[in-house]
Amino acid sequence: LGELQLGRELGASVVAILRNGRRHHDPRRNDPIFEDDVLVVRGRSYELEALARLRGVKVQVLTDPQPLKERF
């Protein structure tokens, strides 16, 4: 996760990893990322737009005010 440098490069923060139907909140820099993982990222719109431009990255914007805990 730390190798991605999302915070340093884009200003975005990974707040959770969804893996095999489970939530892993507050991931650490040394947590591995696997092919089917979903990263829950918090950032400003321009930061998320920059993330969406990266090759191989799919971004889904959640605008629903329902708390993340209830959605996943």
Side-chain angles (χ1 to χ4, degrees), residues 4-56:
L4 295 177
Q5 295 188 353
L6 294 179
R8 183 180 211 175
E9 297 293 324
L10 302 176
S13 301
V14 177
V15 296
I17 299 172
L18 305 178
R19 179 180 297 144
N20 299 324
R22 299 189 66 198
R23 289 184 304 266
H24 303 274
H25 291 283
D26 300 320
R28 293 185 163 64
R29 294 180 52 79
N30 62 344
D31 285 347
I33 303 296
F34 299 104
E35 184 176 347
D36 292 330
D37 285 354
V38 175
L39 303 182
V40 180
V41 180
R42 177 178 56 212
R44 294 182 173 95
S45 60
Y46 65 88
E47 295 165 341
L48 300 178
E49 288 168 4
L51 179 62
R53 287 192 294 269
L54 295 176
R55 184 175 177 201

